[in-house]
Amino acid sequence: MLEKMLNRNKDVAWRVIENEAILISAEDSMLHSLDEVGTRIWELADGSNTVGAIVEKIFEEYEVDRETAETDVVEFVTNLASEKLGLLLLSQSE
Amino acid sequence: MQDQLIPLLYRADQVAVDKRIPYSVIFEVTRHCNLDCRMCYVVGHESADPEELSTDEAKHVLDQLAQAGTLRLSFSGGEPFLRADLLELIAYAKQLAFSVDIMTNGILIGPETAKRLKKLVVWQVSISLLGATPETHDSITGRKGSFTRALNALKLLREEGVRARIKTLIMKQNFHEYKQIIDLAKDLGVPFSMDPTVSSRNDGDTDTLSMNLTDDQFKELLANPSLGPRTLSLNGDELEANRKVRLDGYLCKAGISFCDISWNGDVRPCMQYPESAGNLREDSFADIWNESPLFEKLRNARRTHLPDCKDCALLPLCFRCPATALLEKGDPFAAYETACHRAALMEEVRFARIEEASIGS
Ligand code: SF4
Protein backbone atom coordinates (compact mmCIF):
# COMPACT_ATOMS: atom_id res chain seq x y z
CA MET A 1 0.00 0.00 0.00
CA LEU A 2 2.60 2.59 1.07
CA GLU A 3 4.46 2.52 -2.24
CA LYS A 4 1.34 2.98 -4.35
CA MET A 5 0.62 6.29 -6.07
CA LEU A 6 -2.59 8.01 -5.06
CA ASN A 7 -4.82 9.71 -7.62
CA ARG A 8 -8.15 11.42 -7.31
CA ASN A 9 -10.80 9.83 -9.48
CA LYS A 10 -11.20 12.36 -12.32
CA ASP A 11 -14.95 11.76 -12.42
CA VAL A 12 -15.46 13.17 -8.97
CA ALA A 13 -16.67 16.77 -8.77
CA TRP A 14 -15.17 18.55 -5.77
CA ARG A 15 -14.43 21.84 -4.05
CA VAL A 16 -12.66 22.78 -0.87
CA ILE A 17 -14.79 25.18 1.11
CA GLU A 18 -13.10 26.54 4.23
CA ASN A 19 -10.81 23.53 4.75
CA GLU A 20 -13.58 21.03 4.11
CA ALA A 21 -13.71 19.14 0.82
CA ILE A 22 -17.12 18.41 -0.65
CA LEU A 23 -17.16 15.62 -3.22
CA ILE A 24 -19.87 14.36 -5.55
CA SER A 25 -19.25 10.92 -6.90
CA ALA A 26 -20.37 10.65 -10.51
CA GLU A 27 -21.22 6.99 -10.09
CA ASP A 28 -24.00 7.29 -7.54
CA SER A 29 -24.27 11.08 -7.17
CA MET A 30 -23.70 10.80 -3.45
CA LEU A 31 -22.24 13.66 -1.58
CA HIS A 32 -19.28 13.17 0.70
CA SER A 33 -17.55 15.63 2.94
CA LEU A 34 -14.06 15.32 4.32
CA ASP A 35 -12.62 16.87 7.45
CA GLU A 36 -9.44 18.92 7.44
CA VAL A 37 -7.01 15.98 7.41
CA GLY A 38 -9.09 14.08 4.87
CA THR A 39 -9.17 17.20 2.72
CA ARG A 40 -5.39 17.52 2.90
CA ILE A 41 -4.99 13.89 1.77
CA TRP A 42 -7.46 14.49 -1.04
CA GLU A 43 -5.49 17.52 -2.24
CA LEU A 44 -2.24 15.57 -2.11
CA ALA A 45 -3.75 12.72 -4.14
CA ASP A 46 -2.80 14.33 -7.45
CA GLY A 47 -0.84 11.43 -8.87
CA SER A 48 2.55 12.77 -7.78
CA ASN A 49 2.57 11.34 -4.23
CA THR A 50 2.72 7.80 -2.92
CA VAL A 51 0.63 6.84 0.09
CA GLY A 52 3.88 6.67 2.05
CA ALA A 53 4.81 10.23 1.07
CA ILE A 54 1.36 11.39 2.15
CA VAL A 55 1.79 9.66 5.54
CA GLU A 56 5.04 11.64 5.94
CA LYS A 57 3.31 14.92 5.10
CA ILE A 58 0.44 14.27 7.52
CA PHE A 59 2.99 13.33 10.21
CA GLU A 60 4.88 16.59 9.59
CA GLU A 61 1.87 18.89 9.33
CA TYR A 62 -0.37 17.59 12.11
CA GLU A 63 0.42 16.74 15.69
CA VAL A 64 0.26 12.97 15.42
CA ASP A 65 2.86 10.26 15.82
CA ARG A 66 4.02 8.43 12.73
CA GLU A 67 2.20 5.21 13.55
CA THR A 68 -1.15 6.95 14.01
CA ALA A 69 -0.60 8.94 10.81
CA GLU A 70 0.03 5.73 8.91
CA THR A 71 -2.96 3.85 10.33
CA ASP A 72 -5.30 6.80 9.71
CA VAL A 73 -4.09 7.52 6.18
CA VAL A 74 -4.20 3.85 5.15
CA GLU A 75 -7.68 3.44 6.59
CA PHE A 76 -8.92 6.59 4.88
CA VAL A 77 -7.39 5.68 1.53
CA THR A 78 -8.70 2.11 1.69
CA ASN A 79 -12.18 3.37 2.43
CA LEU A 80 -12.26 5.95 -0.37
CA ALA A 81 -10.63 3.56 -2.83
CA SER A 82 -13.00 0.72 -1.97
CA GLU A 83 -15.07 -0.78 -4.73
CA LYS A 84 -18.18 0.91 -3.43
CA LEU A 85 -16.79 4.44 -3.24
CA GLY A 86 -14.09 4.49 -5.92
CA LEU A 87 -13.26 8.10 -5.14
CA LEU A 88 -9.51 7.52 -4.96
CA LEU A 89 -7.46 5.38 -7.31
CA LEU A 90 -4.31 3.50 -6.38
CA SER A 91 -1.70 2.69 -8.98
CA GLN A 92 1.82 1.22 -8.97
CA SER A 93 4.52 3.87 -8.67
CA GLU A 94 6.88 4.04 -11.64
CA MET B 1 -12.11 11.66 8.24
CA GLN B 2 -15.14 11.01 6.12
CA ASP B 3 -18.72 11.66 7.12
CA GLN B 4 -21.31 9.05 6.49
CA LEU B 5 -22.92 9.41 3.08
CA ILE B 6 -25.40 12.24 3.01
CA PRO B 7 -28.43 12.48 0.74
CA LEU B 8 -27.52 14.25 -2.41
CA LEU B 9 -26.43 17.86 -2.23
CA TYR B 10 -28.47 18.88 0.76
CA ARG B 11 -25.62 19.57 3.10
CA ALA B 12 -23.34 21.27 0.59
CA ASP B 13 -26.19 23.54 -0.26
CA GLN B 14 -26.62 24.40 3.41
CA VAL B 15 -22.91 25.13 3.81
CA ALA B 16 -23.07 27.31 0.69
CA VAL B 17 -26.03 29.26 2.02
CA ASP B 18 -24.31 29.85 5.36
CA LYS B 19 -21.06 30.89 3.74
CA ARG B 20 -22.54 32.73 0.76
CA ILE B 21 -20.81 30.56 -1.79
CA PRO B 22 -22.20 30.55 -5.35
CA TYR B 23 -22.51 26.80 -5.10
CA SER B 24 -24.82 26.37 -8.07
CA VAL B 25 -24.62 28.42 -11.27
CA ILE B 26 -26.54 28.34 -14.54
CA PHE B 27 -24.41 29.37 -17.50
CA GLU B 28 -26.61 30.35 -20.45
CA VAL B 29 -23.86 29.99 -23.04
CA THR B 30 -25.92 31.21 -25.99
CA ARG B 31 -29.31 32.77 -26.60
CA HIS B 32 -29.48 31.08 -30.01
CA CYS B 33 -32.02 28.26 -30.38
CA ASN B 34 -33.04 25.92 -33.18
CA LEU B 35 -36.65 25.84 -31.96
CA ASP B 36 -39.17 28.63 -31.65
CA CYS B 37 -41.21 27.68 -28.57
CA ARG B 38 -44.22 29.89 -28.14
CA MET B 39 -43.64 30.56 -24.47
CA CYS B 40 -39.86 31.08 -24.66
CA TYR B 41 -38.70 33.97 -22.51
CA VAL B 42 -35.42 34.46 -24.41
CA VAL B 43 -35.99 37.32 -26.82
CA GLY B 44 -33.78 37.15 -29.93
CA HIS B 45 -33.26 33.37 -29.78
CA GLU B 46 -33.40 33.16 -33.61
CA SER B 47 -29.71 34.08 -33.76
CA ALA B 48 -26.62 34.28 -31.59
CA ASP B 49 -25.95 37.56 -29.85
CA PRO B 50 -22.97 39.29 -31.56
CA GLU B 51 -21.81 40.04 -28.01
CA GLU B 52 -21.68 36.33 -27.08
CA LEU B 53 -18.65 35.32 -24.99
CA SER B 54 -15.82 33.68 -26.96
CA THR B 55 -14.48 30.25 -26.03
CA ASP B 56 -11.57 31.83 -24.15
CA GLU B 57 -13.85 34.24 -22.35
CA ALA B 58 -16.23 31.41 -21.39
CA LYS B 59 -13.29 29.37 -20.05
CA HIS B 60 -12.15 32.35 -18.03
CA VAL B 61 -15.65 32.52 -16.53
CA LEU B 62 -15.34 28.85 -15.53
CA ASP B 63 -11.92 29.51 -13.94
CA GLN B 64 -13.44 32.26 -11.85
CA LEU B 65 -16.43 30.15 -10.79
CA ALA B 66 -14.16 27.30 -9.69
CA GLN B 67 -12.19 29.81 -7.67
CA ALA B 68 -15.38 31.14 -6.07
CA GLY B 69 -16.40 27.63 -4.93
CA THR B 70 -19.08 26.78 -7.50
CA LEU B 71 -19.58 23.02 -7.60
CA ARG B 72 -22.75 22.53 -9.62
CA LEU B 73 -22.69 24.02 -13.08
CA SER B 74 -25.58 23.88 -15.56
CA PHE B 75 -25.01 24.66 -19.21
CA SER B 76 -28.15 26.16 -20.68
CA GLY B 77 -29.27 28.59 -23.37
CA GLY B 78 -31.01 29.10 -25.83
CA GLU B 79 -29.89 25.72 -27.03
CA PRO B 80 -26.40 25.13 -25.61
CA PHE B 81 -25.46 22.55 -28.27
CA LEU B 82 -25.65 25.28 -30.92
CA ARG B 83 -22.34 26.50 -29.58
CA ALA B 84 -19.75 24.62 -31.59
CA ASP B 85 -17.44 24.64 -28.56
CA LEU B 86 -19.94 23.23 -26.02
CA LEU B 87 -18.18 19.88 -25.59
CA GLU B 88 -14.86 21.70 -25.27
CA LEU B 89 -16.34 23.89 -22.52
CA ILE B 90 -17.78 20.85 -20.74
CA ALA B 91 -14.40 19.08 -20.90
CA TYR B 92 -12.76 22.19 -19.48
CA ALA B 93 -15.37 22.36 -16.72
CA LYS B 94 -14.69 18.71 -15.87
CA GLN B 95 -10.96 19.45 -15.61
CA LEU B 96 -11.92 22.09 -13.08
CA ALA B 97 -13.87 19.39 -11.17
CA PHE B 98 -17.35 20.86 -11.57
CA SER B 99 -20.41 18.66 -11.41
CA VAL B 100 -21.87 19.44 -14.84
CA ASP B 101 -25.41 19.22 -16.06
CA ILE B 102 -27.00 20.35 -19.31
CA MET B 103 -30.43 21.72 -20.15
CA THR B 104 -31.27 21.13 -23.78
CA ASN B 105 -34.04 20.42 -26.27
CA GLY B 106 -32.15 17.29 -27.32
CA ILE B 107 -32.33 18.03 -31.07
CA LEU B 108 -28.58 17.85 -31.57
CA ILE B 109 -27.89 14.83 -29.38
CA GLY B 110 -27.07 11.93 -31.70
CA PRO B 111 -25.21 8.68 -30.90
CA GLU B 112 -21.77 10.33 -31.03
CA THR B 113 -22.69 13.18 -28.71
CA ALA B 114 -24.36 10.77 -26.27
CA LYS B 115 -21.10 8.78 -26.18
CA ARG B 116 -19.05 11.91 -25.63
CA LEU B 117 -21.31 12.98 -22.78
CA LYS B 118 -20.87 9.58 -21.15
CA LYS B 119 -17.09 9.87 -21.49
CA LEU B 120 -17.15 13.36 -20.05
CA VAL B 121 -19.10 12.06 -17.03
CA VAL B 122 -21.81 14.65 -17.21
CA TRP B 123 -23.93 14.45 -14.09
CA GLN B 124 -27.32 14.90 -15.76
CA VAL B 125 -28.93 15.98 -19.02
CA SER B 126 -32.39 17.57 -18.76
CA ILE B 127 -34.43 17.41 -21.91
CA SER B 128 -37.35 19.70 -22.43
CA LEU B 129 -40.43 17.74 -23.46
CA LEU B 130 -43.55 19.78 -24.11
CA GLY B 131 -45.97 17.01 -24.90
CA ALA B 132 -46.35 13.25 -25.06
CA THR B 133 -47.09 13.27 -28.80
CA PRO B 134 -45.40 14.84 -31.84
CA GLU B 135 -48.55 16.89 -32.55
CA THR B 136 -48.50 18.67 -29.21
CA HIS B 137 -44.75 19.01 -28.70
CA ASP B 138 -44.04 20.14 -32.27
CA SER B 139 -46.91 22.61 -32.33
CA ILE B 140 -45.42 24.33 -29.27
CA THR B 141 -41.80 24.24 -30.49
CA GLY B 142 -42.74 25.32 -34.00
CA ARG B 143 -40.59 22.61 -35.56
CA LYS B 144 -41.75 19.33 -37.05
CA GLY B 145 -39.72 16.36 -35.91
CA SER B 146 -38.55 18.00 -32.68
CA PHE B 147 -40.52 15.54 -30.52
CA THR B 148 -38.98 12.51 -32.20
CA ARG B 149 -35.50 14.00 -31.82
CA ALA B 150 -36.05 14.78 -28.13
CA LEU B 151 -37.33 11.28 -27.46
CA ASN B 152 -34.46 9.80 -29.39
CA ALA B 153 -31.98 11.83 -27.34
CA LEU B 154 -33.55 10.51 -24.12
CA LYS B 155 -33.22 6.94 -25.37
CA LEU B 156 -29.64 7.37 -26.56
CA LEU B 157 -28.59 8.87 -23.26
CA ARG B 158 -30.25 6.04 -21.37
CA GLU B 159 -28.48 3.48 -23.55
CA GLU B 160 -25.14 5.12 -22.84
CA GLY B 161 -25.90 5.22 -19.13
CA VAL B 162 -26.02 9.01 -18.92
CA ARG B 163 -28.51 10.24 -16.34
CA ALA B 164 -31.33 11.87 -18.31
CA ARG B 165 -34.40 13.71 -17.07
CA ILE B 166 -37.58 15.07 -18.63
CA LYS B 167 -38.37 18.67 -17.89
CA THR B 168 -41.81 19.93 -18.82
CA LEU B 169 -43.37 23.34 -18.72
CA ILE B 170 -47.07 22.61 -18.31
CA MET B 171 -49.42 25.12 -19.87
CA LYS B 172 -52.80 25.28 -21.59
CA GLN B 173 -51.33 23.90 -24.81
CA ASN B 174 -50.08 20.61 -23.31
CA PHE B 175 -52.12 20.14 -20.15
CA HIS B 176 -54.23 17.42 -21.78
CA GLU B 177 -51.11 15.24 -22.05
CA TYR B 178 -49.55 15.70 -18.63
CA LYS B 179 -50.49 12.22 -17.46
CA GLN B 180 -49.10 10.70 -20.64
CA ILE B 181 -45.83 12.55 -20.07
CA ILE B 182 -45.61 10.97 -16.61
CA ASP B 183 -46.27 7.54 -18.17
CA LEU B 184 -43.69 8.20 -20.86
CA ALA B 185 -41.09 9.07 -18.21
CA LYS B 186 -41.92 5.83 -16.39
CA ASP B 187 -41.62 3.79 -19.59
CA LEU B 188 -38.26 5.36 -20.35
CA GLY B 189 -37.11 4.92 -16.77
CA VAL B 190 -36.21 8.58 -16.34
CA PRO B 191 -37.24 11.08 -13.67
CA PHE B 192 -39.36 14.08 -14.64
CA SER B 193 -40.23 17.49 -13.30
CA MET B 194 -43.20 19.64 -14.19
CA ASP B 195 -43.30 23.37 -13.84
CA PRO B 196 -46.69 25.09 -14.17
CA THR B 197 -45.35 28.65 -14.46
CA VAL B 198 -44.93 30.40 -17.80
CA SER B 199 -42.84 33.55 -17.29
CA SER B 200 -42.87 36.92 -19.01
CA ARG B 201 -40.35 37.36 -21.79
CA ASN B 202 -37.01 38.78 -20.72
CA ASP B 203 -37.82 42.14 -22.32
CA GLY B 204 -40.82 42.42 -19.96
CA ASP B 205 -43.44 41.44 -22.57
CA THR B 206 -46.27 39.62 -20.76
CA ASP B 207 -48.00 38.11 -23.82
CA THR B 208 -46.77 34.65 -22.74
CA LEU B 209 -48.74 34.74 -19.49
CA SER B 210 -52.01 33.89 -21.25
CA MET B 211 -50.55 30.40 -21.84
CA ASN B 212 -50.61 29.70 -18.10
CA LEU B 213 -53.02 26.98 -16.95
CA THR B 214 -56.63 27.85 -16.19
CA ASP B 215 -57.57 27.74 -12.51
CA ASP B 216 -59.23 24.35 -12.86
CA GLN B 217 -56.24 22.89 -14.70
CA PHE B 218 -53.86 24.27 -12.08
CA LYS B 219 -55.93 22.74 -9.27
CA GLU B 220 -56.14 19.40 -11.03
CA LEU B 221 -52.38 19.33 -11.46
CA LEU B 222 -51.82 20.11 -7.77
CA ALA B 223 -54.32 17.51 -6.68
CA ASN B 224 -52.27 14.83 -8.43
CA PRO B 225 -50.40 13.14 -5.57
CA SER B 226 -47.15 12.82 -7.53
CA LEU B 227 -47.07 16.53 -8.38
CA GLY B 228 -48.41 18.75 -5.60
CA PRO B 229 -45.96 20.24 -3.07
CA ARG B 230 -45.72 18.70 0.41
CA THR B 231 -47.19 21.80 2.04
CA LEU B 232 -50.57 20.81 0.59
CA SER B 233 -50.86 18.03 3.13
CA LEU B 234 -50.32 20.29 6.17
CA ASN B 235 -53.20 21.01 8.50
CA GLY B 236 -54.00 24.52 9.75
CA ASP B 237 -51.69 24.38 12.80
CA GLU B 238 -48.84 22.92 10.83
CA LEU B 239 -49.26 25.57 8.19
CA GLU B 240 -49.07 28.33 10.79
CA ALA B 241 -45.95 26.75 12.34
CA ASN B 242 -44.40 26.53 8.88
CA ARG B 243 -45.26 30.18 8.23
CA LYS B 244 -43.43 31.29 11.37
CA VAL B 245 -40.31 29.32 10.42
CA ARG B 246 -40.33 30.66 6.89
CA LEU B 247 -40.58 34.28 7.98
CA ASP B 248 -36.89 34.40 8.86
CA GLY B 249 -35.78 32.69 5.67
CA TYR B 250 -34.29 34.12 2.50
CA LEU B 251 -36.74 34.79 -0.31
CA CYS B 252 -34.95 32.26 -2.52
CA LYS B 253 -31.43 31.01 -3.27
CA ALA B 254 -30.75 33.67 -5.93
CA GLY B 255 -27.77 35.73 -4.88
CA ILE B 256 -27.32 33.56 -1.78
CA SER B 257 -25.93 30.29 -3.17
CA PHE B 258 -27.06 30.54 -6.78
CA CYS B 259 -26.77 32.86 -9.77
CA ASP B 260 -27.06 32.98 -13.53
CA ILE B 261 -24.52 34.01 -16.14
CA SER B 262 -25.74 35.13 -19.56
CA TRP B 263 -24.14 34.59 -22.95
CA ASN B 264 -22.84 38.18 -22.91
CA GLY B 265 -21.23 37.90 -19.47
CA ASP B 266 -24.01 39.51 -17.44
CA VAL B 267 -24.29 38.09 -13.93
CA ARG B 268 -27.87 37.98 -12.67
CA PRO B 269 -29.59 36.53 -9.60
CA CYS B 270 -31.49 34.07 -11.86
CA MET B 271 -32.55 33.61 -15.47
CA GLN B 272 -35.78 35.52 -14.98
CA TYR B 273 -34.33 38.45 -13.09
CA PRO B 274 -34.47 41.44 -15.42
CA GLU B 275 -31.52 43.30 -13.86
CA SER B 276 -27.83 42.51 -14.05
CA ALA B 277 -25.52 42.64 -11.04
CA GLY B 278 -22.52 43.34 -13.31
CA ASN B 279 -20.74 42.14 -16.43
CA LEU B 280 -17.76 39.81 -16.51
CA ARG B 281 -16.11 41.74 -19.31
CA GLU B 282 -15.86 44.70 -16.96
CA ASP B 283 -15.47 43.19 -13.48
CA SER B 284 -14.31 39.93 -11.95
CA PHE B 285 -16.89 37.39 -10.80
CA ALA B 286 -15.65 37.70 -7.21
CA ASP B 287 -16.13 41.48 -7.25
CA ILE B 288 -19.64 41.20 -8.66
CA TRP B 289 -20.65 38.37 -6.31
CA ASN B 290 -19.25 40.04 -3.21
CA GLU B 291 -19.83 43.71 -3.90
CA SER B 292 -22.86 44.15 -6.11
CA PRO B 293 -25.63 46.19 -4.43
CA LEU B 294 -28.24 43.99 -6.15
CA PHE B 295 -26.94 40.80 -4.50
CA GLU B 296 -26.57 42.67 -1.23
CA LYS B 297 -30.20 43.75 -1.41
CA LEU B 298 -31.40 40.16 -1.98
CA ARG B 299 -29.12 38.78 0.75
CA ASN B 300 -30.46 41.18 3.33
CA ALA B 301 -34.10 40.44 2.53
CA ARG B 302 -36.14 38.04 4.65
CA ARG B 303 -39.80 37.19 4.26
CA THR B 304 -40.50 39.01 7.49
CA HIS B 305 -39.41 42.24 5.76
CA LEU B 306 -41.99 41.93 3.00
CA PRO B 307 -44.70 44.45 3.88
CA ASP B 308 -47.47 42.79 1.84
CA CYS B 309 -46.59 39.20 2.72
CA LYS B 310 -45.29 39.02 6.28
CA ASP B 311 -48.74 38.59 7.82
CA CYS B 312 -50.24 36.54 5.02
CA ALA B 313 -51.60 33.17 6.15
CA LEU B 314 -50.90 31.72 2.70
CA LEU B 315 -47.16 32.40 2.88
CA PRO B 316 -46.18 28.71 3.26
CA LEU B 317 -48.16 27.83 0.14
CA CYS B 318 -46.99 30.77 -1.91
CA PHE B 319 -44.38 30.52 -4.65
CA ARG B 320 -43.77 34.25 -4.86
CA CYS B 321 -40.60 35.03 -6.72
CA PRO B 322 -38.57 38.25 -6.52
CA ALA B 323 -37.91 38.26 -10.27
CA THR B 324 -41.58 37.92 -11.21
CA ALA B 325 -42.56 40.48 -8.58
CA LEU B 326 -40.10 42.89 -10.18
CA LEU B 327 -41.46 42.16 -13.65
CA GLU B 328 -45.11 42.39 -12.63
CA LYS B 329 -45.01 45.13 -9.99
CA GLY B 330 -41.67 46.86 -10.42
CA ASP B 331 -40.65 45.78 -6.90
CA PRO B 332 -39.01 42.43 -6.04
CA PHE B 333 -40.45 42.58 -2.53
CA ALA B 334 -44.09 43.35 -3.38
CA ALA B 335 -47.00 40.91 -3.52
CA TYR B 336 -48.23 40.38 -7.06
CA GLU B 337 -51.41 39.09 -8.60
CA THR B 338 -50.23 35.79 -10.10
CA ALA B 339 -48.65 34.69 -6.82
CA CYS B 340 -51.61 35.70 -4.64
CA HIS B 341 -54.07 34.12 -7.02
CA ARG B 342 -52.22 30.83 -7.23
CA ALA B 343 -51.62 30.71 -3.47
CA ALA B 344 -55.40 31.03 -3.01
CA LEU B 345 -55.95 28.12 -5.42
CA MET B 346 -53.45 26.05 -3.49
CA GLU B 347 -55.29 26.80 -0.29
CA GLU B 348 -58.49 25.54 -1.93
CA VAL B 349 -56.77 22.29 -2.88
CA ARG B 350 -55.29 21.89 0.58
CA PHE B 351 -58.65 22.53 2.20
CA ALA B 352 -60.40 20.06 -0.10
CA ARG B 353 -57.84 17.41 0.84
CA ILE B 354 -58.43 17.91 4.54
CA GLU B 355 -62.19 17.74 4.02
CA GLU B 356 -61.83 14.59 2.01
CA ALA B 357 -59.60 13.00 4.63
CA SER B 358 -62.04 13.83 7.44
CA ILE B 359 -64.97 12.38 5.49
CA GLY B 360 -62.94 9.27 4.74
CA SER B 361 -61.92 8.72 8.37
S1 SF4 C 1 -47.50 37.13 -2.71
FE1 SF4 C 1 -49.66 37.22 -2.01
S2 SF4 C 1 -50.18 35.12 -1.39
FE2 SF4 C 1 -47.95 35.22 -1.57
S3 SF4 C 1 -47.29 35.61 0.55
FE3 SF4 C 1 -47.45 37.60 -0.52
S4 SF4 C 1 -49.51 38.34 -0.05
FE4 SF4 C 1 -49.47 36.13 0.43
Side-chain angles (χ1 to χ4, degrees):
Chain A
M1 167 69 101
L2 292 178
E3 63 293 345
K4 295 232 165 111
M5 298 297 270
L6 200 57
N7 246 314
R8 295 184 289 262
N9 182 339
K10 299 260 179 310
D11 297 343
V12 176
W14 63 280
R15 289 285 172 260
V16 175
I17 293 169
E18 295 192 356
N19 296 329
E20 186 185 8
I22 291 169
L23 326 178
I24 302 177
S25 113
E27 199 49 52
D28 58 5
S29 298
M30 291 305 281
L31 190 78
H32 310 255
S33 71
L34 308 180
D35 72 6
E36 194 182 333
V37 181
T39 298
R40 183 75 184 117
I41 300 175
W42 180 261
E43 288 180 314
L44 289 167
D46 60 359
S48 70
N49 291 303
T50 60
V51 176
I54 291 175
V55 170
E56 279 310 304
K57 288 225 162 73
I58 297 298
F59 166 68
E60 282 163 20
E61 292 175 17
Y62 297 88
E63 284 174 7
V64 283
D65 59 71
R66 190 174 259 111
E67 202 181 319
T68 314
E70 185 173 324
T71 322
D72 282 2
V73 170
V74 168
E75 193 195 335
F76 175 82
V77 168
T78 311
N79 188 13
L80 263 67
S82 71
E83 214 179 302
K84 190 161 147 260
L85 295 178
L87 301 172
L88 283 173
L89 305 172
L90 290 157
S91 58
Q92 293 303 328
S93 57
E94 300 292 298
Chain B
M1 287 175 230
Q2 185 206 1
D3 286 353
Q4 75 277 31
L5 302 182
I6 305 159
L8 181 63
L9 308 181
Y10 175 73
R11 199 173 141 223
D13 203 32
Q14 222 21 70
V15 173
V17 168
D18 295 346
K19 296 182 179 167
R20 304 277 168 80
I21 290 159
Y23 169 71
S24 176
V25 172
I26 293 189
F27 192 0
E28 298 175 289
V29 285
T30 184
R31 75 172 183 198
H32 190 194
C33 189
N34 42 10
L35 298 181
D36 190 19
C37 298
R38 293 196 224 168
M39 71 302 170
C40 179
Y41 64 88
V42 180
V43 174
H45 62 257
E46 305 77 20
S47 61
D49 184 345
E51 298 292 312
E52 190 169 289
L53 297 174
S54 68
T55 306
D56 284 346
E57 285 176 316
K59 285 183 176 172
H60 185 51
V61 169
L62 298 179
D63 290 334
Q64 295 186 69
L65 292 177
Q67 192 70 39
T70 303
L71 184 58
R72 302 197 31 93
L73 180 71
S74 300
F75 285 99
S76 170
E79 171 45 48
F81 280 101
L82 281 177
R83 265 193 83 124
D85 59 0
L86 183 72
L87 290 172
E88 182 183 343
L89 293 179
I90 294 173
Y92 191 75
K94 290 300 299 183
Q95 272 175 32
L96 294 170
F98 287 101
S99 167
V100 169
D101 63 61
I102 306 171
M103 298 186 210
T104 168
N105 58 35
I107 297 261
L108 296 172
I109 301 183
E112 274 317 301
T113 307
K115 278 202 177 74
R116 287 287 307 279
L117 295 175
K118 173 67 186 171
K119 271 222 177 89
L120 286 165
V121 197
V122 165
W123 186 72
Q124 178 169 264
V125 181
S126 296
I127 301 217
S128 168
L129 204 69
L130 297 163
T133 60
E135 294 71 42
T136 302
H137 180 93
D138 295 359
S139 74
I140 296 172
T141 65
R143 181 163 161 186
K144 261 203 153 66
S146 54
F147 176 79
T148 312
R149 303 274 286 265
L151 204 61
N152 196 39
L154 282 162
K155 287 180 186 159
L156 287 169
L157 293 167
R158 286 284 294 150
E159 276 163 32
E160 288 301 330
V162 178
R163 188 178 288 103
R165 183 172 76 111
I166 291 176
K167 209 166 163 261
T168 304
L169 191 58
I170 287 284
M171 49 194 169
K172 284 189 185 117
Q173 286 74 3
N174 59 11
F175 177 77
H176 61 289
E177 287 181 2
Y178 88 87
K179 285 184 188 149
Q180 283 166 267
I181 298 175
I182 299 175
D183 291 342
L184 188 64
K186 282 186 187 145
D187 288 348
L188 289 165
V190 298
F192 68 91
S193 62
M194 287 194 178
D195 177 3
T197 307
V198 180
S199 313
S200 322
R201 299 197 200 268
N202 62 1
D203 62 356
D205 192 341
T206 54
D207 64 318
T208 43
L209 300 184
S210 63
M211 291 179 224
N212 269 313
L213 299 178
T214 65
D215 291 355
D216 285 343
Q217 290 172 334
F218 184 68
K219 285 196 281 183
E220 184 185 327
L221 198 74
L222 290 180
N224 187 305
S226 56
L227 297 173
R230 267 182 312 158
T231 38
L232 287 178
S233 22
L234 300 181
N235 66 30
D237 290 345
E238 290 164 337
L239 205 65
E240 180 53 20
N242 184 306
R243 193 182 76 83
K244 287 199 175 122
V245 171
R246 286 169 63 113
L247 276 175
D248 289 328
Y250 296 113
L251 308 191
C252 68
K253 298 267 170 70
I256 315 295
S257 63
F258 169 82
C259 73
D260 172 78
I261 294 174
S262 299
W263 45 84
N264 64 358
D266 276 347
V267 180
R268 292 179 302 163
C270 74
M271 289 103 75
Q272 255 77 41
Y273 211 92
E275 287 172 9
S276 166
N279 187 284
L280 293 168
R281 282 190 171 120
E282 286 153 27
D283 292 300
S284 72
F285 179 81
D287 280 353
I288 297 171
W289 180 256
N290 295 321
E291 321 265 334
S292 127
L294 173 54
F295 284 146
E296 196 53 28
K297 183 164 89 172
L298 291 173
R299 277 169 203 158
N300 289 334
R302 300 289 183 278
R303 294 192 184 90
T304 189
H305 301 149
L306 305 178
D308 305 332
C309 305
K310 64 179 172 31
D311 298 317
C312 173
L314 301 182
L315 191 120
L317 299 172
C318 179
F319 280 88
R320 75 172 306 291
C321 148
T324 318
L326 182 56
L327 282 162
E328 277 194 29
K329 291 286 282 250
D331 174 1
F333 305 133
Y336 57 98
E337 204 194 320
T338 335
C340 296
H341 185 68
R342 285 200 155 178
L345 295 175
M346 295 193 38
E347 173 61 357
E348 277 181 43
V349 175
R350 186 190 73 84
F351 198 71
R353 273 198 198 181
I354 291 176
E355 293 273 278
E356 215 171 283
S358 68
I359 292 167
S361 64

